[in-house]
Amino acid sequence: MIYKHMQDKEIFNKKNALLNKRLCNFIATKFLRIYYDQENNIISQNNYAKLCGITSSTISKLKLPDGYDVPMSTIYNILRHERYSLEKFFKEFEDENGMNIPN
């Protein structure tokens, strides 16, 4: 029984890693190619990070090919700066990636 539990945990970890990878890639593609302030001026990654209330290293991790275990607060901070609703963001993510990620 313990072996089965360990197998299940490993499967969930792999699925979570895939979800995080796709989520980070989606965020990077949508928001982290060119950085804008709220007046639509192009700014540096460091300034963008400050406006979002996150670190520049967090942005760098989001842009990694494999992503990372991104906290919901980081997603929310970026969306708040971008004036983007959680509903719209996750709807677009779901439309692009499907409903059962990763299945």
Side-chain angles (χ1 to χ4, degrees), residues 65-82:
D66 287 334
Y68 84 111
D69 190 5
V70 59
M72 188 65 199
S73 59
T74 297
I75 296 169
Y76 179 72
N77 285 345
I78 292 169
L79 296 180
R80 186 183 61 232
H81 170 72
E82 294 289 342

Side-chain angles (χ1 to χ4, degrees), residues 41-54:
N41 300 306
I42 296 176
I43 58 175
S44 70
Q45 178 174 307
N46 286 340
N47 285 340
Y48 183 85
K50 287 177 188 173
L51 290 173
C52 291
I54 59 178

